Amino acid sequence: MNTSSIPDSHSLPESRPFVSMALLSVVMTVFSVALLCSCSGSDGGGTIASGGLEITAEIPGFRLSDGSAFSVWDGHDDQDGSDELDGGTGITAGLYAVKDGGIVGDCANLAVAIRPGGMDAEGEGGLSVCVIEEEVELPQDAVFYLYAPRVEDLRLTPDAKAGDAEGFFAELVGSWTVPEDQSDEGGMAAAGLMTASASIADGKLHFAMRHAMSLLELELPGVRYVFTNTDRDIPDYSIAYGGGFSDGPVPLSLGTDRAVLLFNPVSGGLPSGRYGEYSWSCAESALPGESYLVRIGGGMEQRSHELRPGDFFLADGCLLSRDADAGEVASSDVVGIVFQTDPERIGAGEKEALGGTAHALVVSCRTVGDGALFQWFVKDGSSSRDETEIGLDNKFDGEDAYASFSMADADIEGYRNNMAVRTARAEDYAAGCYPAFKAAEDYGSEEYGRLTASGTTGWFLPSNGQWFDIVRNLCGVTLDASNMVDWGMGDFYWTGLGDLSGMMDAAMAKVPDSRKSSYYIYSYQWTSSPASETGARYFDFYYDGTAFCNNLSKSHADPVRCVLAF
């Protein structure tokens, strides 16, 4: 059994609380709840109406190992100044006032709403307008203590003689129970106890909040590809080995390669658990407000790789160079070939499905069902369906082949096309009315299409523009209006391109025959781009150097070759 924990000498030196510029100042609106709706002042010093008091707070974050910051009340990375507390709705804190060694009157656990602050002209954290739902009187010469998130039925009395927030809330911190399940933002926010103290000065009450909990960053076991391309900057690509958290707390996932959880360093002991076959633990003592890194099973193995069309994509998400030894390729579970790395030619749908970043597109080595034929759409014997009803524009102009080409080439939204059909036509999709689309999705259950990696879109039927890019990038040919021939009625074709089927097969030459389908046999295929109510775009190419792009009846049965994004 493998156990990995960073020793004391490797705890993050920069793991001090991080103050996000977006959260530098947030307004806390005091409101009344139940029996806590008023606060009386003591003799001397007077009181000040909460409506005349500017109340602000600095909300810290935790520094992660990659230099980014994590905001507990957001549940996600806080780097660009756009995040808001608890999704923008705020969080409730509890306020105490202390004077002459005692808690003042009813100013005990007074409910305070913390709202996100705005941004000023310089991009610094600014103040939102303070909306007072019910005005209360606050003693001007008291010391105020704030904690969040608030416990409504708090049954302990803070130490009013402590003199600082750490001592005042010592019993609360010592008894604070961190939820075992922090896998969603609610669990993380409930765990993130913060405290502060402040006094009124110049009509202002400002709290510098401090974390009472510690943060554990868990780097999952797997592979991280660092791309060495010089023509474009491609973000790192991480693949986590299969597994799940058990026998301990369940953290909040931050993508494919890491997760985070909060724990109480004062009580409850240091966290430990299992991830798949690996055990993990935090072996070092912890301090409030600090972040610590544990690499489960050794964490991410880093590999440098130049990502290029022609690279081999494996079932586990790993990559092999197109220049890899034939024996290595033959012994690997190759499922596809990388054909697109240009982010400008990767659809917005693919990027959105992968959390904003898609590294490349991959075309399957085999056709679905070993060359089985599938109709695009058919229902009750009819192949007519207006897909503009679900947002899929027809990529066809019956009077202008060049306009047809322009629309077809611009359609790189294969994933969105598929998801529109799967969701907006869900009943008909489930009933088998979209055979080609369903076949593409189901390819993942076939032996040579099965994926064991997370971090992909899964297989889908490529769009017309994606099919053009497959041939362009794997055959090195030009497919554009400059060498296109108008075939009439909005259709078009190319000639003199060379042995396209042979060039496509050459890209798969190192892949074993059992894992691929020859383009000499299956060089014609559906796209996910509709052309009309009765037709969809279809693309085929041959060894004689010709390639055709037509508006074909949706009832026609053709092979399906899939693509995915990672």
Side-chain angles (χ1 to χ4, degrees), residues 521-547:
I521 303 172
Y522 305 109
S523 62
Y524 53 106
Q525 31 260 316
W526 277 125
T527 80
S528 60
S529 304
S532 65
E533 289 190 18
T534 58
R537 299 221 62 87
Y538 163 89
F539 186 53
D540 60 340
F541 49 87
Y542 300 95
Y543 62 88
D544 65 358
T546 57

Side-chain angles (χ1 to χ4, degrees), residues 317-332:
C318 288
L319 296 161
L320 290 177
S321 170
R322 66 190 187 189
D323 300 323
D325 179 77
E328 182 181 11
V329 177
S331 63
S332 301

Side-chain angles (χ1 to χ4, degrees), residues 261-498:
L261 63 87
L262 291 167
F263 65 98
N264 192 331
V266 177
S267 64
L270 297 173
S272 62
R274 294 179 59 83
Y275 178 82
E277 65 179 281
Y278 302 98
S279 63
W280 61 267
S281 64
C282 182
E284 56 188 322
S285 59
L287 297 174
E290 298 289 345
S291 54
Y292 300 87
L293 173 66
V294 169
R295 293 189 172 97
I296 301 175
M300 287 280 158
E301 174 196 346
Q302 185 165 303
R303 298 179 185 175
S304 297
H305 184 92
E306 182 181 2
L307 186 61
R308 297 175 294 174
D311 286 349
F312 302 96
F313 187 81
L314 310 188
D316 64 1
C318 288
L319 296 161
L320 290 177
S321 170
R322 66 190 187 189
D323 300 323
D325 179 77
E328 182 181 11
V329 177
S331 63
S332 301
D333 293 333
V334 177
V335 294
I337 307 294
V338 174
F339 72 88
Q340 184 60 269
T341 62
D342 182 357
E344 298 300 317
R345 291 290 295 179
I346 298 177
E350 284 81 351
K351 295 171 184 174
E352 182 179 348
L354 296 173
T357 299
H359 304 85
L361 299 177
V362 174
V363 60
S364 63
C365 290
R366 286 179 64 91
T367 56
V368 178
D370 196 22
L373 306 181
F374 303 91
Q375 295 171 302
W376 202 93
F377 169 77
V378 62
K379 182 179 182 180
D380 299 330
S382 172
S383 61
S384 180
R385 171 63 66 85
D386 183 6
E387 303 301 353
T388 64
E389 296 173 348
I390 61 171
L392 300 185
D393 295 333
N394 293 322
K395 312 300 180 183
F396 180 70
D397 186 329
E399 298 181 355
D400 188 343
Y402 291 92
S404 291
F405 165 76
S406 179
M407 289 185 284
D409 187 46
D411 187 6
I412 57 173
E413 295 291 345
Y415 185 78
R416 279 189 176 174
N417 293 350
N418 283 252
M419 293 308 297
V421 169
R422 294 179 194 177
T423 57
R425 303 294 197 197
E427 185 176 345
D428 285 343
Y429 184 76
C433 299
Y434 290 88
F437 288 85
K438 188 66 165 61
E441 181 182 20
D442 291 347
Y443 182 59
S445 63
E446 293 190 13
E447 179 181 1
Y448 297 115
R450 190 172 296 114
L451 303 170
T452 61
S454 58
T456 80
T457 57
W459 298 110
F460 58 89
L461 187 65
S463 65
N464 203 149
Q466 287 170 336
W467 256 117
F468 286 165
D469 287 346
I470 291 170
V471 174
R472 284 170 176 145
N473 295 337
L474 296 183
C475 298
V477 298
T478 299
L479 297 177
D480 62 26
S482 68
N483 61 337
M484 189 189 86
V485 180
D486 185 341
W487 203 5
M489 303 296 291
D491 292 330
F492 50 91
Y493 65 96
W494 291 270
T495 62
L497 299 176

Side-chain angles (χ1 to χ4, degrees), residues 8-9 11 23 53 55 106 141 153 163 310 330 390 441 478 481 561:
D8 291 343
S9 59
S11 61
L23 303 178
L53 184 65
I55 310 175
D106 293 329
D141 55 352
D153 57 346
I390 61 171
E441 181 182 20
T478 299
R561 203 179 288 259

Side-chain angles (χ1 to χ4, degrees), residues 90-272:
I91 194 165
T92 304
L95 180 68
Y96 291 83
V98 172
K99 183 177 179 180
D100 298 330
I103 296 174
V104 178
D106 293 329
C107 292
N109 206 24
L110 184 68
V112 173
I114 300 180
R115 305 294 184 192
M119 303 293 289
D120 64 20
E122 286 73 38
E124 301 287 334
L127 294 178
S128 301
V129 175
C130 186
V131 180
I132 305 299
E133 297 184 9
E134 185 169 343
E135 191 168 290
V136 295
E137 294 291 323
L138 301 176
Q140 293 195 65
D141 55 352
V143 177
F144 294 89
Y145 295 90
L146 187 74
Y147 79 97
R150 178 177 180 267
V151 179
E152 184 173 358
D153 57 346
L154 190 63
R155 298 182 181 181
L156 57 84
T157 302
D159 184 359
K161 299 184 183 300
D164 58 23
E166 183 177 358
F168 185 82
F169 290 114
E171 185 178 356
L172 174 64
V173 172
S175 63
W176 191 261
T177 300
V178 175
E180 281 285 290
D181 187 356
Q182 299 178 38
S183 60
D184 59 29
E185 294 183 12
M188 179 63 69
L193 178 62
M194 299 183 192
T195 66
S197 63
S199 299
I200 296 174
D202 300 323
K204 298 179 181 179
L205 186 59
H206 179 74
F207 292 95
M209 304 295 287
R210 297 187 63 182
H211 286 287
M213 300 295 104
S214 303
L215 184 84
L216 189 64
E217 178 184 356
L218 299 168
E219 184 177 296
L220 306 184
V223 177
R224 179 181 293 118
Y225 284 92
V226 178
F227 296 115
T228 60
N229 299 60
T230 57
D231 57 337
R232 58 177 57 95
D233 184 19
I234 304 177
D236 296 350
Y237 164 55
S238 297
I239 309 158
Y241 297 150
F245 286 94
S246 61
D247 298 338
V250 182
L252 176 70
S253 174
L254 295 183
T256 59
D257 61 352
R258 59 182 173 167
V260 292
L261 63 87
L262 291 167
F263 65 98
N264 192 331
V266 177
S267 64
L270 297 173
S272 62

